[in-house]
Amino acid sequence: MIMSKLIIEEGESLKGEIEASGAKNVALKTIVAGLLTDEKIVIENIPLISDLLTMKMTVEKFGGRVEIAGHKMTVTGSNLKNFPLSLEMAAQSRTSSMIIAPLLLRFGKATIPNPGGCRIGARPIDRHIEGLSKMGAKITYDASGYFHAQSKKLHGTVYTFPKNTHTGTETLILAAVLANGETVLENAAAEPEVDDLIGLLNQMGAKIKRVGPRTIKITGVKKLGGTTYKIMPDRNEVVTFAVAGIITGGDLIIKNAQSQHLLSFLEKLDKAGAGWEKVNENSLRFFYKGSLKPCDIVTSFHPGFMTDWQAPWTILMTQAAGKSTVHEAVFESRFGYVSELRKMGVKILFFQPKISCPEKFYNFNMEDKNDRHYQAILIEGPIKLHNAILNISDLRAGATLVLAALAAEGESVLYGAEHIDRGYERFEERLKKLGAKIKRANS
Ligand code: EPU
């Protein structure tokens, strides 16, 4: 991977039109879906991001074929072979752990490492593992951190997720489509990306139905076939660009933005006094319409305020007049960007809100919580952001720091730009078209 930095000059107001790419968190999973059939599947509207290339390389090690031509991807699973998924591959892409489903279905066994940081327990895919076990897989966990799964034939079951899991729901759907009999997943994730994957699988011949807001029924079929499927736009990209437009005092039209998937974000924009409107069924306009009001958010699973949106939201709230809070309830540690933001003059304090039943309230497992981490921040605005030399540690944090630099006075330098490439296609090139003064250099 080439290490690079972004140099961002004092901001212009961003103006113009931009198109959201295809959803990263669907595109990655379609590759795994393609391994369930010997026929070709063609996926349209894929984002050209490095996470997709990582997933392609991983699957190719298993004999899968992934060809990318423009924004179209063809996946062929006919030569699939069974190997243990290496620790290195699993560490590069958490989604690669989902390969457990096609391997179990096609070979009756699979070995995958625990993709989480924890090497001593079954976390953090315990919910996926528990569900697969209910479908008849015998799964053991060894001291070196690998899950060994075996099953002659997976069978249908009724499984209730103890807490929401987006990828866990998708893994169990992938396993259930070719299992014997009917599977009912209760308390299943309701994210639109899950439904988009269901759309693809149904087109391949699966029988999957969302029978309640959080209940999914899957009737196992004998075989899946090829198809062509266009994936949904990336909601996280829409939010990132929307905040970029508002925070720079600009006015943007985002094409491929669907308001029905962004309701909790749009509702908060209204509360904060930021401007947005529907241009048509497929486009939204975001604009600055005067000083922003402070606003509190708590992240949650769908249809709540997404955890991926809290970092850009924090930047927006640095410009609101008063105190705002952001309470992260999905991940136990997702405020890594705060220390970098402080270098730009932002006033943020960590605190722990009082919660009567944390075990129920938080989406993560309580034993994963490191007590040193607070789950909330208090932002005092409005702040005149100034330039800084910043380090990007992960994808969403990286995009957020770019937003902050666009709104700051002076020239900022952001090291670790390659993290942004994991999830945003040609990020700086597209921002530049909207008027941002941003360039990349190798670091
Ligand atoms: N968790 C467990 N055990 C499990 C499963 C989850 O403890 O068996 C915990 C996780 O550690 C986390 C919480 O439950 O604290 C939620 O995890 P979930 O499984 O819902 O998240 P995910 O599937 O790993 C996906 C997206 C994330 C997005 C979340 C929440 C993909 C590849 N990733 O993660 O996207 O933030 O859902 O919607 O789909 C991103 O795009 O940058 C990103 C991180």
Side-chain angles (χ1 to χ4, degrees):
M1 195 194 300
I2 300 166
M3 312 274 266
S4 56
K5 63 183 175 191
L6 292 175
I7 301 151
I8 302 175
E9 276 179 48
E10 186 163 335
E12 295 286 320
S13 297
L14 299 193
K15 292 201 171 120
E17 268 188 22
I18 186 162
E19 208 166 303
S21 307
K24 165 176 90 75
N25 290 342
V26 180
L28 297 177
K29 286 65 176 285
T30 63
I31 298 185
V32 187
L35 303 181
L36 294 172
T37 172
D38 285 342
E39 294 176 24
K40 274 185 188 168
I41 64 161
V42 179
I43 306 298
E44 295 175 345
N45 196 31
I46 56 152
L48 300 177
I49 53 176
S50 66
D51 263 9
L52 198 76
L53 299 180
T54 304
M55 197 60 195
K56 166 178 154 63
M57 270 166 13
T58 299
V59 158
E60 283 175 346
K61 293 232 163 78
F62 284 85
R65 267 186 74 188
V66 181
E67 285 157 276
I68 295 176
H71 289 89
K72 205 182 252 195
M73 173 171 78
T74 307
V75 184
T76 320
S78 52
N79 284 323
L80 194 67
K81 294 178 185 66
N82 198 2
F83 300 104
L85 176 68
S86 76
L87 197 53
E88 197 190 344
M89 286 188 238
Q92 280 171 6
S93 164
R94 187 179 149 80
T95 312
S96 62
S97 75
M98 295 173 84
I99 201 169
I100 192 169
L103 292 182
L104 261 179
L105 287 164
R106 298 187 71 162
F107 303 102
K109 56 182 185 179
T111 297
I112 59 155
N114 183 351
C118 174
R119 312 298 313 147
I120 52 162
R123 294 166 314 198
I125 56 165
D126 49 310
R127 300 170 204 161
H128 316 207
I129 296 296
E130 191 181 73
L132 288 170
S133 304
K134 288 241 0 191
M135 294 177 76
K138 300 262 171 295
I139 306 180
T140 54
Y141 188 67
D142 72 25
S144 55
Y146 279 83
F147 292 105
H148 302 275
Q150 280 204 348
S151 157
K152 281 211 181 81
K153 178 80 184 157
L154 293 175
H155 57 73
T157 191
V158 177
Y159 178 65
T160 305
F161 287 97
K163 291 186 181 191
N164 191 66
T165 167
H166 178 157
T167 307
T169 299
E170 293 167 334
T171 301
L172 293 197
I173 292 172
L174 289 168
V177 285
L178 290 173
N180 271 340
E182 187 178 281
T183 300
V184 179
L185 301 176
E186 302 277 10
N187 197 24
E191 273 69 19
E193 290 79 6
V194 175
D195 285 343
D196 211 27
L197 183 66
I198 291 176
L200 164 68
L201 289 164
N202 279 342
Q203 251 187 237
M204 291 167 71
K207 287 196 177 145
I208 312 166
K209 204 165 173 204
R210 194 178 277 282
V211 291
R214 297 189 63 80
T215 305
I216 298 172
K217 195 162 103 179
I218 306 125
T219 309
V221 295
K222 292 265 173 292
K223 176 171 178 218
L224 296 179
T227 195
T228 297
Y229 189 79
K230 183 175 177 185
I231 61 167
M232 66 181 282
D234 198 303
R235 300 186 291 151
N236 296 330
E237 238 196 42
V238 173
V239 167
T240 303
F241 286 121
V243 171
I246 297 163
I247 199 172
T248 58
D251 194 336
L252 295 183
I253 289 180
I254 308 184
K255 290 182 175 169
N256 288 347
Q258 297 163 339
S259 58
Q260 75 271 24
H261 296 150
L262 294 162
L263 294 179
S264 52
F265 173 69
L266 298 174
E267 194 186 301
K268 290 292 177 186
L269 280 186
D270 283 338
K271 285 211 167 112
W276 73 272
E277 66 177 13
K278 220 168 157 172
V279 179
N280 56 42
E281 275 320 298
N282 222 19
S283 303
L284 294 172
R285 173 178 169 226
F286 295 93
F287 55 100
Y288 181 76
K289 64 169 191 188
S291 62
L292 295 170
K293 294 194 272 288
C295 205
D296 301 325
I297 61 150
V298 182
T299 65
S300 178
F301 45 83
H302 193 75
F305 194 98
M306 270 191 94
T307 167
D308 305 76
W309 306 338
Q310 59 96 338
W313 187 262
T314 297
I315 300 294
L316 201 62
M317 288 302 97
T318 64
Q319 302 310 302
K323 290 179 180 166
S324 306
T325 61
V326 172
H327 187 175
E328 172 58 50
V330 176
F331 287 95
E332 74 278 11
S333 159
R334 214 176 187 185
F335 286 120
Y337 62 92
V338 168
S339 55
E340 294 303 294
L341 269 190
R342 282 180 171 149
K343 295 181 186 167
M344 307 181 89
V346 167
K347 285 186 207 149
I348 293 183
L349 291 175
F350 281 93
F351 72 104
Q352 182 53 50
K354 280 204 169 51
I355 302 295
S356 60
C357 188
E359 174 56 51
K360 265 200 169 153
F361 181 83
Y362 289 117
N363 197 172
F364 50 81
N365 296 339
M366 288 314 284
E367 62 267 31
D368 287 343
K369 180 162 167 60
N370 180 334
D371 279 344
R372 283 175 297 132
H373 292 132
Y374 295 113
Q375 287 306 131
I377 53 174
L378 181 129
I379 308 135
E380 263 195 86
I383 301 286
K384 228 178 177 27
L385 297 167
H386 59 71
N387 61 331
I389 307 293
L390 303 167
N391 289 305
I392 296 173
S393 57
D394 71 75
L395 168 63
R396 303 285 165 214
T400 296
L401 295 176
V402 170
L403 301 185
L406 286 172
E409 277 184 356
E411 183 183 277
S412 296
V413 181
L414 278 68
Y415 286 93
E418 60 284 355
H419 287 290
I420 296 176
D421 303 333
R422 290 186 57 181
Y424 293 87
E425 180 178 332
R426 297 176 294 108
F427 193 46
E428 72 270 15
E429 201 181 306
R430 289 154 81 204
L431 285 171
K432 227 157 128 176
K433 283 206 175 118
L434 301 170
K437 291 184 187 153
I438 176 169
K439 63 179 184 217
R440 186 183 286 241
N442 290 340
S443 53

